[in-house]
Structure formats: structure tokens, C-alpha cells
Amino acid sequence: MNPKLAIPDAAPLVLSLRSVGYTLETALADIIDNSITAKATEINIDVKWNKELNYISVRDNGYGMNEAQLHQAMKIGSKNPVDPRNHDDLGRFGIGMKTAAFSLCKRLTVGSKLLGSNAMCMRVWDIDKIAETNRWELFDGSSTPDWKDALSRFGNCEQGTIVVLEKLDRLITENYSDQAIGRFWQRIADMEKHLSMVFHRFLSGVQAIAIFINGKKIEPWDPFMRNWLATQEFREEFLECNGESIRAHAFILPHHSKLSVKEYDEAGGPGGWLEQQGFYVYRNKRLIVPGTWFKMLRKNEPGQLARIQLDLTGDMDFEWKIDVKKSSAAPPSTLREGIRRIARTAQEASRKVYYYRGAAINQQSKAEDNDAIWEQASIRGRTFFRINRSHALLKDAKAQLNADAEKKLNTFLSLVEGFAPMNASLTGPVSGEANQENELIDSAASFCSDLINAGYSKCEALRKVLQISIYEGMAEAIENKLQL
Ligand SMILES: Nc1ncnc2c1ncn2[C@@H]1O[C@H](COP(=O)(O)OP(=O)(O)OP(=O)(O)O)[C@@H](O)[C@H]1O
Ligand SMILES: [Mg+2]
């Protein structure tokens, strides 16, 4: 049998690679990965869109490449994914830089300089040329205004690499207008948020690197709010997988009452509180997945304070099904039980803080000490907090009261619930259990009659009941019911 060669055609392959599924955020993160792997301490992203220029460049002061290395690096599949890599290498597949760039642009120019070399070497892929010739022709020079402008910013750097994306046809899809410019810069602002999350562990600490967008430094966004006293930190756990150890470290974030509106908004993160709960999967300190329960649990409101750091190394890429874009991961089946247990514990702890209005919970304490004070209910389309009537202390106290005193205590608890500040302000979408109007009138009437029995005048009792938001507008119905 004589095997025949079937070499892929350049034009269709490169055009298909454009649709691997990168977003602006994931594409830029993939290019920055390479700068971090090259030990850069400063990375500058320059974004230009005006009437003369439109490009994005990423320049770093990492160890750079010589001409042969750069030529190899520009090939699709420049390295074999199964080859071992250094423990801190953020790459795996040998295609990230090219596919990330092509998903945004049609012209990729890379210039690089090794320490001690005088000249910069460069290579250019131009998709229009590849589509025209159907050949993998890689150029070694460029004189476009975009490249010249980008290069001028590189200046006299002793070493480093500059990656320039020109002909941004997938990013700039509109004509130059005020609205289009506004939308464009909004996307760049979103990208900044994403990068401050994905690289936050590189952006802080003693050996922090600095990343700038058009000269503005990106600040790290720590999903775990480690600097907050009210954040609860669980003990680290280690899960074993094929002789490797995976570190899981759970945090329960502070109740929103402990944060200002601005702090609360910021802590929510790029996706918001609900979306950003769950496991944060890091590969060599670089965030791959920002908040997931791996389809084992649902994301829900009370669970939104739980965030768990999960640390993987590059040696686990295949077990965890890390994708080319470094934006998804799935645990191997042998770890699912351990992961589910950690997830449940964290969700439960989050639920308690969420309903507890921020009271500290000691994870080592007995379950009965953790009985929630407040329970959530949904009444007339509003979220409403009720005192947990089965709390052990309350049950104990009631057991020592006579029937009359117990009734008075219940009436008082109803007043506390009705006038609790969070019940006046908290509203929200409710599913399922909205009470029937009749039941609500019954409960308002019986509450009113409890107040009368407790010594309130008819008029005062009615006024009190009507001040409670869920009973608003029920005056006539209550009067009829009680025949006041
Ligand atoms: N900024 C840079 N500085 C130094 N070398 C670089 C830089 N960018 C890319 N390279 C070299 O180019 C190679 C190819 O990069 P590319 O992103 O395509 O693949 P990768 O990083 O090896 O793997 P992955 O596809 O997982 O990202 C890298 O392995 C690295 O050797
Ligand atoms: Mg890479």
C-alpha cells in the first residue's frame, strides 16, 4: 500500500481557522499568554481606530525570538501538543497566536528581538494573499502605516516581541461614525475587565507584571475578595488525579449589606454575581473558566457568594479537556464526586450567609448553631424575608410560654417581619409560589385581629397592617373580613 500525501489547501484551511470561536477577549488573552510565558514584565496593548489607522498591537519585553524561532512560531502547529512543556508555560497547542489573530484580522505581523541582537526579525501572514495564491507564503517585511505606527511605539527596546493585528475585519464591522466608535470602545473596556480577571494573579504580588491598554494600567480583579475581613476562607483541599494534586480553595464572599453599592458592583465581576459563582479553574495561575459548577449544580441566587479556586497544571490539559482557546475545562470522571462534595459545601455556606445578613459562620461549628435566622419567601411578586420559626432558640423560648404569651410573641414577630428594613426595599422577580390574593387577605386579617387582641385599637391595628408593603391597598378587604 502506497500512502498518498494529502496536504491541506492553504486558502480554505486558513479561512476556516478564522471561525474557531474566539471572542475579542479570549483572543487577546491567548496572545498575552505568549508574552507571559516569554517572561515579559511589561506588556502594552495599543488599540487604534481613527481615520488613518486601525490596528491592535501587543508588545512585550520578554525574551523574544530569533529569525528561525519566529519563522517556526508563525506556522500553524508550531509545536506538538503532546510534547512536554515547562511548568509555567501557558501554551499547549502551537496554534493560539495564529488562530486568535485570524479570528479578528486578516493581517498578522510579528516582530521580535533577542537580547543582544541589533536587528528585529519579522514575519507577516496576510490572509488576502493566501486566499489569492492558495500558498503558505510568509513575508519577512512590511511597510504599512499601521505597522510603522505600532513599531514606533516599540522604540529601542533591548528585547521583546510585537504582535500587530491589521485589517480588523471581524472587529470593525461598521463605518467610522460616532455610534460605531462608542460601541468599539465599549468592547475594548469589556476586554479590559476580562483581562483584569483572567490575569489577576500575575497582576499582583511581589513579582507582578504590568499590562497597559493605551497606556492605562490594568488593575487586578480578585474574585475571592481576599482583602475583606468579612470574606470566609475555607481550608484548602487537595484532590488526587493520576498522581497529580489539584488544589481547591473555597471562599464565601461577604453579604451585600457589608459592601457599598460601588464595591458590590465591582465584586460582581464582568459577568455579575449570579454568573460568577462556582469554581474558578486556573491553569498555571492563568484563569481559564471564571465560575462554573461543571453542570453538577445549578447557579442560583443563594449560592452566589461561593467562589472556589481550583489550581491545575499544564500536565493535566488532556484529562481536563482544556481547549485551544483556553476558555473551557471539564473534570475527569474520577474527580467528579470530590468536586461535587466541595461544591455542595460551598453552596450551602453561601446560602447561610446570603440569608443571614452577613453574620459570620464558622464552618467548623455544629449544624444547629448555623440555623438561619431569616427565611426567604415570595409573596405577591416580591421577595420577602420571614423569621425562621423553627429556630431552636425560638422553639425553646416558646415552650416556656403560656398560650397567650406565645400568641403575643408571634404577633410581635410578624411585626418585626413586616417592618424589617430589607422587606421594605427588597423586591424582585419571583417564581412559582406567589400567594393567592385570598390567602393574603386572610393572613392580613388574622394579623390585624392579633394586634387588636394584643391591645391595639381597631384603627391603629388596621393602620399598622396597611403599612406593611405586601398588604398595601387591602383596607377594605380586611375591614370586610373582620367586620370592623
Ligand atoms: N511574545 C512572544 N515572545 C516569545 N515567543 C513567542 C511569543 N509569542 C509567541 N511565541 C512563540 O511562538 C510559539 C507559537 O505561539 P502560539 O501561541 O501559536 O502557540 P503556543 O503558545 O505554543 O500554544 P497555544 O496554541 O496553546 O497557545 C510559542 O510556542 C512561542 O515559542
Ligand atoms: Mg500561545
Side-chain angles (χ1 to χ4, degrees), residues 265-466:
D265 273 357
E266 274 169 14
W273 279 91
L274 188 66
E275 198 44 48
Q276 300 242 201
Q277 63 187 280
F279 290 98
Y280 282 65
V281 185
Y282 293 81
R283 175 182 181 273
N284 296 345
K285 281 169 48 187
R286 192 272 215 203
L287 184 59
I288 305 240
V289 187
T292 176
W293 294 118
F294 298 118
K295 298 189 180 151
M296 294 180 194
L297 304 179
R298 278 172 193 233
K299 289 186 172 172
N300 59 31
E301 288 277 333
Q304 63 179 271
L305 305 177
R307 295 181 182 171
I308 306 158
Q309 178 176 318
L310 209 56
D311 274 313
L312 312 185
T313 67
D315 295 334
M316 305 168 186
D317 287 344
F318 297 109
E319 281 104 330
W320 280 77
K321 301 189 190 71
I322 304 295
D323 69 330
V324 171
K325 304 189 293 289
K326 319 282 177 346
S327 59
S328 70
S333 52
T334 50
L335 288 183
R336 288 183 79 81
E337 213 30 64
I339 299 247
R340 191 181 320 227
R341 178 181 48 74
I342 293 171
R344 286 223 179 95
T345 310
Q347 258 203 355
E348 179 58 15
S350 167
R351 195 184 71 81
K352 285 179 176 157
V353 176
Y354 183 83
Y355 289 136
Y356 231 52
R357 285 186 68 77
I361 291 170
N362 175 356
Q363 47 160 321
Q364 259 84 50
S365 64
K366 293 187 289 180
E368 51 269 37
D369 292 338
N370 290 339
D371 263 0
I373 303 293
W374 295 100
E375 286 176 343
Q376 201 176 23
S378 299
I379 302 173
R380 265 187 154 189
R382 286 177 178 226
T383 303
F384 193 80
F385 286 92
R386 274 194 303 233
I387 288 171
N388 173 12
R389 304 297 170 105
S390 21
H391 192 284
L393 270 179
L394 184 59
K395 285 207 291 199
D396 268 7
K398 280 188 182 175
Q400 294 170 26
L401 300 176
N402 64 31
D404 190 41
E406 186 180 343
K407 214 165 180 193
K408 283 196 174 120
L409 178 63
N410 281 336
T411 308
F412 177 69
L413 292 178
S414 300
L415 275 173
V416 172
E417 289 163 347
F419 290 91
M422 71 273 199
N423 284 340
S425 60
L426 270 181
T427 59
V430 180
S431 52
E433 48 165 308
N435 286 20
Q436 296 297 318
E437 197 75 2
N438 283 345
E439 286 176 26
L440 209 59
I441 293 168
D442 286 349
S443 94
S446 95
F447 183 34
C448 190
S449 95
D450 287 345
L451 288 174
I452 294 167
N453 291 339
Y456 282 71
S457 73
K458 286 180 187 170
C459 195
E460 277 169 340
L462 191 58
R463 198 162 48 82
K464 257 299 168 265
V465 173
L466 295 175

Side-chain angles (χ1 to χ4, degrees), residues 22 30-40 58-60 62-65 69-70 72-79 85 89-99 110-112 160-163 283 323-324 326:
Y22 280 95
D30 219 338
I31 293 171
I32 291 170
D33 279 352
N34 293 338
S35 300
I36 294 177
T37 302
K39 303 274 183 271
V58 178
R59 57 193 158 92
D60 67 53
Y63 52 58
M65 291 172 270
Q69 287 166 334
L70 174 58
Q72 179 64 20
M74 293 297 275
K75 290 184 189 168
I76 310 280
S78 52
K79 285 187 182 164
R85 298 233 184 185
D89 194 328
L90 298 183
R92 164 59 62 199
F93 300 99
I95 60 173
M97 175 175 70
K98 288 76 67 173
T99 45
V110 183
S112 201
T161 300
I162 177 165
V163 176
R283 175 182 181 273
D323 69 330
V324 171
K326 319 282 177 346

Side-chain angles (χ1 to χ4, degrees), residues 90-327:
L90 298 183
R92 164 59 62 199
F93 300 99
I95 60 173
M97 175 175 70
K98 288 76 67 173
T99 45
F102 293 159
S103 65
L104 298 174
C105 76
K106 293 210 280 184
R107 189 176 165 96
L108 163 67
T109 306
V110 183
S112 201
K113 197 172 162 187
L114 283 180
L115 187 65
S117 80
N118 293 328
M120 169 179 271
C121 54
M122 61 182 293
R123 288 291 185 273
V124 187
W125 281 127
D126 191 318
I127 289 186
D128 286 332
K129 288 277 187 313
I130 298 174
E132 197 182 303
T133 60
N134 199 19
R135 284 157 57 89
W136 295 108
E137 284 178 351
L138 188 57
F139 298 91
D140 61 3
S142 176
S143 57
T144 62
D146 286 335
W147 165 253
K148 283 185 187 163
D149 189 76
L151 190 59
S152 69
R153 287 159 212 283
F154 194 74
N156 291 328
C157 267
E158 289 189 326
Q159 63 171 23
T161 300
I162 177 165
V163 176
V164 182
L165 317 186
E166 295 169 68
K167 302 197 205 171
L168 292 160
D169 65 329
R170 292 279 166 94
L171 182 63
I172 299 174
T173 50
E174 301 172 271
N175 289 332
Y176 196 71
S177 70
D178 286 348
Q179 288 92 329
I181 294 166
R183 279 191 282 271
F184 177 81
W185 289 108
Q186 184 53 53
R187 290 192 65 185
I188 302 299
D190 292 344
M191 175 185 85
E192 177 183 341
K193 280 193 194 155
H194 183 81
L195 298 180
S196 78
M197 170 176 78
V198 164
F199 295 109
H200 76 97
R201 288 168 77 181
F202 296 94
L203 297 173
S204 61
V206 265
Q207 291 192 313
I209 61 167
I211 306 181
F212 298 87
I213 299 185
N214 286 348
K216 181 180 166 237
K217 195 169 176 188
I218 302 183
E219 294 300 330
W221 179 78
D222 171 20
F224 309 109
M225 301 182 78
R226 270 173 254 241
N227 294 334
W228 290 79
L229 276 179
T231 299
Q232 294 173 45
E233 189 175 343
F234 278 51
R235 240 183 262 123
E236 290 177 10
E237 285 195 49
F238 292 88
L239 301 167
E240 298 300 322
C241 175
N242 292 345
E244 301 270 356
S245 207
I246 292 152
R247 194 168 67 120
H249 195 180
F251 296 82
I252 308 301
L253 271 47
H255 187 272
H256 72 77
S257 62
K258 310 242 166 188
L259 307 172
S260 70
V261 174
K262 186 165 172 281
E263 288 163 345
Y264 179 78
D265 273 357
E266 274 169 14
W273 279 91
L274 188 66
E275 198 44 48
Q276 300 242 201
Q277 63 187 280
F279 290 98
Y280 282 65
V281 185
Y282 293 81
R283 175 182 181 273
N284 296 345
K285 281 169 48 187
R286 192 272 215 203
L287 184 59
I288 305 240
V289 187
T292 176
W293 294 118
F294 298 118
K295 298 189 180 151
M296 294 180 194
L297 304 179
R298 278 172 193 233
K299 289 186 172 172
N300 59 31
E301 288 277 333
Q304 63 179 271
L305 305 177
R307 295 181 182 171
I308 306 158
Q309 178 176 318
L310 209 56
D311 274 313
L312 312 185
T313 67
D315 295 334
M316 305 168 186
D317 287 344
F318 297 109
E319 281 104 330
W320 280 77
K321 301 189 190 71
I322 304 295
D323 69 330
V324 171
K325 304 189 293 289
K326 319 282 177 346
S327 59

